[in-house]
Every structure is written in structure tokens, then in C-alpha cells.
Amino acid sequence: MVASRDDIVLECRDLGHWFGSNKVLNGINLQISRGQIVALVGPSGSGKSTLLRAILGTHPPRTGEVLMDGASYRSPHRDRGIVYQRYSLLPFLTAQQNVAFGLKLDQTSLAFRCFQFWEWAKLKTEHMDQAAELLDRVGLSAAKDQYPSELSGGMRQRVAIAQALIMRPKLLLLDEPFGALDEATREDLQVMLLKLYSENVEARAKGEQPPYTILIVTHELNEALYVSDRVLGLSQYHHGGSEGAAIVYDKAAPVYRPHAPKELSDFVAQKEELLKAVFSDEVIQHHSEYVSFWEDREKLTVDA
Ligand SMILES: Nc1ncnc2c1ncn2[C@@H]1O[C@H](COP(=O)(O)OP(=O)(O)O)[C@@H](O)[C@H]1O
Ligand SMILES: [Mg+2]
């Protein structure tokens, strides 16, 4: 699947952010095209969550701008969803009701639910059907009637992701979503992301818009390289780093099919490159040295 600059969903233009005298982000320029799964890595405290909040719209940047489908914005919208490491589901609702809940809030009012009872009953069935479909997508159809207290951590994160996806966001942000899970569960959830990606590939093949565009923050480099088709590195270690972190790495990552064997040896060279380019405070370089995703893409397109 070739990402194209013709279909940019999200753009950050010269974005900067600081807290008091703590300069966090500086000169962030970024374009994400529809259907990409982009991993964002960087040292702890480099501003990954701050960047995600700016993109979400809850904490707009101090300088520069964020655009979705070409329109600048400074507030949250259902076009952008987020899932955090620990997502609290509503304990008194089943998995399916939790997933349907966002649609209920978005599409109905209390008055509507009280006074147009039959219309609401019909709509509610539609919402529950959609929720069941989403739970199926994230591999959780068997647990749809269970309450959060009956679900494992991995299952709860699947519900949280279904809950975000039911709003059909143009961009889904994931901030260390699997950070609290054990290794085996974590791998199952990574495969779930690969399945979403393969739906994108199928949609493209049919000439349709790929349904999922995801930006995932993770501190696990194998995870970043495995689940994404592109890896971004955010780091304060570059010339001018005292002014804040910048994107110092932007390259394609190997694309896996959901059940293809994962070859960790495939990642070794790129992991080393990431450690050097993004995580090392000794190798201070100009921050464009490893930023070549779009250039590489354009070269590929010309060669093909
Ligand atoms: N609400 C806040 N008020 C003050 N400083 C903050 C706030 N949020 C984050 N920071 C600071 O901004 C920097 C980046 O934080 P963060 O975006 O959470 O980094 P990361 O997610 O990469 O670990 C850190 O120095 C952190 O202390
Ligand atoms: Mg963070």
C-alpha cells in the first residue's frame, strides 16, 4: 500500500509547545496520509503525549497549527479519538453497552430518549448492532455481554479501542495503549492492529478509502516496527535541542500480515538506527538526517 501525499489526513505545521520555561516541542512538521499506521517513539519526557494532546485538540499548540483534511483546528472533535494506557470503562455497562455508549451521547439527548421512546429503541438497536460489529473486529465478540470487572486487561483495551473506533474517527491516537499488559497479551493486541491494517489494504485494493489511520506512541521499539508502516522519532537530542524536541527520524517500517511469523532479526538494523538517531544524547546531529519517509516514497514511485 503506497502512502500518498494526495491524501493527507493530518498535518502539523511548525508546531511548538512549552510549559513555563520548559521548551517541549519545537518546529514539528508532519504529514500523515489516510490509512497509515504510524508509530511514534522517543525518550521519556520528549513530548510524545504533549504532541498527541495537541493533535487531539484538547491542548492546542502554543505556536504553529494542526490541520485535519486541510482545515486548521484548536479543539477536540469526534474525528479524532484517543485511547490511553489505562482506559476506564463504565463499570455498570457491559462491553457492548460501553462501546455503544459514545453513539448514544453523540446522537441522542435525554429528552429524545424520554419522549421519543420508540425512535430511541430503534436507534438503540442500531447502536448495539454497530457495537457488536466493532467488538467482532477487535476479536471480542464472545465477551460482549461481560462487565469490565469480568474482563482481563487486554480485553478491556480491546473494548476501549472498539469504543474509539465506533465514532469512525479520521485519526485514532493511541498513547502507550499496551504498556500495562503482559507480553503475550500485548502481542495479541499488536496482531489486532495488523488486522485493522489489512482491512486498509483490502479497501485500497477495491478503490475505497482505507478506514483506519492510527498514530501510536510506544516505548517498545520492536512493537513500533512491527505494528506500523512508518516510524517517527521525537527527540530533544539534536542541534537546537534546547529549544525543544523535534522529529529526528521518519522512515518506513516493514509491513507484516497479521499471522505472518514475526522475524525480530528484521528489526535489528533499524532498531540500532533508532537508538542512535533518537535515543542517544551523544550522537547529536542535524535533525533532518534520518527524516526521509516522503523522499524515499517519492523515489520509489519514480522507480516503479
Ligand atoms: N501539564 C503539564 N504541565 C507542565 N509540564 C508538563 C505538563 N505536561 C507535560 N509536561 C512536561 O513536558 C515534557 C514532555 O512531557 P510528555 O509529553 O508527557 O512526554 P512523553 O510523553 O514523551 O514522556 C516533560 O518535561 C513534562 O514534565
Ligand atoms: Mg507520554
Side-chain angles (χ1 to χ4, degrees):
M1 189 165 72
V2 177
S4 127
R5 284 226 213 207
D6 300 337
D7 199 11
I8 300 297
V9 187
L10 180 92
E11 182 168 359
C12 297
R13 280 193 199 150
D14 219 13
L15 183 153
H17 204 80
W18 59 87
F19 299 100
S21 60
N22 182 9
K23 292 175 181 162
V24 178
L25 300 172
N26 179 33
I28 306 287
N29 284 296
L30 171 64
Q31 291 180 320
I32 295 180
S33 77
R34 206 176 312 275
Q36 287 190 314
I37 296 193
V38 180
L40 175 64
V41 301
S44 161
S46 59
K48 302 179 295 296
S49 296
T50 303
L51 179 57
L52 249 57
R53 284 192 289 265
I55 294 174
L56 185 65
T58 50
H59 299 69
R62 304 259 185 171
T63 57
E65 55 178 348
V66 205
L67 301 93
M68 180 153 271
D69 280 333
S72 177
Y73 63 86
R74 292 184 68 77
S75 54
H77 187 271
R78 61 175 285 180
D79 282 349
R80 299 174 285 279
I82 192 160
V83 175
Y84 301 98
Q85 186 176 112
R86 287 180 198 281
Y87 197 88
S88 43
L89 304 173
L90 293 168
F92 48 87
L93 297 181
T94 64
Q96 189 180 9
Q97 288 165 340
N98 261 291
V99 175
F101 189 69
L103 289 178
K104 172 175 164 177
L105 287 189
D106 192 61
Q107 298 180 2
T108 71
S109 62
L110 183 61
F112 172 83
R113 295 194 293 268
C114 293
F115 300 118
Q116 288 169 281
F117 184 79
W118 295 110
E119 284 85 346
W120 164 226
K122 188 163 155 262
L123 197 59
K124 191 171 175 177
T125 311
E126 278 172 30
H127 290 176
M128 290 295 272
D129 288 350
Q130 281 184 47
E133 192 196 313
L134 257 309
L135 284 170
D136 192 36
R137 284 257 156 74
V138 299
L140 214 60
S141 40
K144 68 181 171 41
D145 297 324
Q146 291 181 16
Y147 289 88
S149 61
E150 301 169 303
L151 301 174
S152 67
M155 291 160 101
R156 276 185 225 153
Q157 279 311 73
R158 284 174 197 258
V159 177
I161 289 170
Q163 212 172 31
L165 288 176
I166 203 167
M167 305 309 286
R168 309 214 179 281
K170 289 181 180 170
L171 177 67
L172 176 63
L173 304 164
L174 302 174
D175 196 350
E176 311 234 11
F178 312 145
L181 306 175
D182 63 70
E183 196 55 33
T185 309
R186 194 169 177 137
E187 290 196 6
D188 290 344
L189 278 127
Q190 292 167 0
V191 172
M192 181 205 77
L193 288 184
L194 295 184
K195 285 190 184 143
L196 297 181
Y197 190 78
S198 62
E199 281 188 49
N200 282 350
V201 176
E202 284 162 25
R204 276 257 162 83
K206 286 191 271 179
E208 293 166 8
Q209 267 196 358
Y212 310 110
T213 310
I214 300 176
L215 177 59
I216 172 173
V217 169
T218 169
H219 61 260
E220 229 277 272
L221 296 184
N222 286 326
E223 178 168 278
L225 290 165
Y226 182 52
V227 302
S228 73
D229 62 351
R230 173 181 176 191
V231 178
L232 293 173
L234 182 69
S235 179
Q236 60 277 55
Y237 307 134
H238 61 85
H239 283 305
S242 59
E243 296 298 309
I247 304 279
V248 298
Y249 188 97
D250 184 1
K251 288 195 183 188
V255 171
Y256 279 81
R257 290 180 183 280
H259 290 293
K262 176 164 66 169
E263 275 299 331
L264 286 179
S265 58
D266 289 358
F267 302 153
V268 174
Q270 201 168 4
K271 258 174 72 175
E272 273 174 18
E273 195 178 61
L274 277 164
L275 287 172
K276 183 171 143 219
V278 185
F279 292 87
S280 166
D281 57 1
E282 283 161 19
V283 195
I284 301 292
Q285 70 245 324
H286 188 270
H287 65 60
S288 61
E289 198 174 328
Y290 294 94
V291 176
S292 61
F293 180 81
W294 290 111
E295 256 169 59
D296 297 347
R297 251 322 116 106
E298 275 142 25
K299 263 187 235 147
L300 276 178
T301 322
V302 172
D303 294 346

